[in-house]
Amino acid sequence: MVLIKSVVVPKMVSLDAYFRAEEKSLTKNEYHNGIIYPMAGGKLKHNRLAQKVASLMDAFIDNENLDYIVSNSDTKIRIENFNKIVYPDAVVICEMPEYFNQREDTITNPTLVVEVLSVSTQRHDHTTKFELYRTLPSFREYVLIHQDRYHVVVWTKQDTGAWLPNDYIGNDAIAVLYSLQSCPLPLERLYRGIQIL
């Protein structure tokens, strides 16, 4: 007797079908070239770090009277070159959002993207997702926040087109977000109230 393993082939769906399903869904799902992938729900520490970084950036933008918009993980990003829709943990847009197909929940012009790293997403966020974001002409800065230690990595696009990483490590470090007029991001404030092992 020969046993043949069955292979499950994911169902391909159109973007329109994805958006219709997403409007009714109780959970978030990303769209990857015709395939819908459910996202794991963020834990409290993850969610607090995403909310805190958005609040710190928003406060700086308000205080400096700058023309940037900060949004949370409910805003989707369309990556046209790879036919993808992804959710960042936080996003900053310069001046005015550009919407994908007039959908006010999906933008095409992020300036800065934040991802809070977890064990399951860390490798993907560092590599594949960064490569996807870099295909967007408006994209200038990528902020990666570790949950288990005082550590923020900021990748900044240079005038040459090269991307330069800066590591900020320790409770007294202050990350600098150059794409937001050198917005300071003190790690002590970012991680305040967050349990670090």
Side-chain angles (χ1 to χ4, degrees), residues 9-22 29-38 78 82-85:
V9 178
K11 180 182 176 186
M12 301 290 284
V13 299
S14 68
L15 259 178
D16 287 340
Y18 162 75
F19 281 121
R20 284 194 303 273
E22 198 68 358
N29 302 278
E30 293 189 338
Y31 181 86
H32 294 265
N33 198 27
I35 301 172
I36 296 176
Y37 289 95
R78 169 65 173 166
F82 291 90
N83 191 23
K84 293 182 184 280
I85 304 282

Side-chain angles (χ1 to χ4, degrees), residues 1 14 35 44 51 115 126 128 154 158 160 171 176 195:
M1 177 184 219
S14 68
I35 301 172
L44 181 60
Q51 184 272 326
E115 297 290 355
H126 267 291
T128 307
V154 180
Q158 307 301 296
T160 61
N171 190 39
V176 179
Q195 185 176 9

Side-chain angles (χ1 to χ4, degrees), residues 27-146:
T27 58
K28 293 177 182 174
N29 302 278
E30 293 189 338
Y31 181 86
H32 294 265
N33 198 27
I35 301 172
I36 296 176
Y37 289 95
M39 296 180 64
K43 295 182 179 173
L44 181 60
K45 186 187 289 188
H46 178 283
N47 295 340
R48 288 186 67 204
L49 283 166
Q51 184 272 326
K52 287 184 82 171
V53 71
S55 295
L56 289 168
M57 292 187 299
D58 204 34
F60 177 80
I61 288 165
D62 280 348
N63 289 340
E64 299 296 319
N65 198 28
L66 300 174
D67 289 326
Y68 293 92
I69 300 166
V70 179
S71 190
N72 62 18
S73 62
D74 289 332
T75 299
K76 295 184 275 292
I77 297 175
R78 169 65 173 166
I79 302 172
E80 189 72 32
N81 289 0
F82 291 90
N83 191 23
K84 293 182 184 280
I85 304 282
V86 299
Y87 283 94
D89 287 320
V91 62
V92 179
I93 305 156
C94 183
E95 295 182 355
M96 294 293 292
E98 294 174 9
Y99 297 118
F100 174 66
N101 287 353
Q102 288 77 52
R103 293 193 57 89
E104 293 188 13
D105 61 350
T106 308
I107 63 160
T108 61
N109 66 324
T111 297
L112 180 149
V113 172
V114 175
E115 297 290 355
V116 178
L117 302 176
S118 62
V119 173
S120 61
T121 66
Q122 182 169 333
R123 183 182 172 98
H124 178 70
D125 289 341
H126 267 291
T127 57
T128 307
K129 210 165 191 183
F130 188 23
E131 290 170 12
L132 297 175
Y133 288 138
R134 288 199 312 254
T135 66
L136 301 171
S138 63
F139 183 53
R140 293 287 174 268
E141 206 145 45
Y142 193 43
V143 181
L144 299 169
I145 300 173
H146 290 263

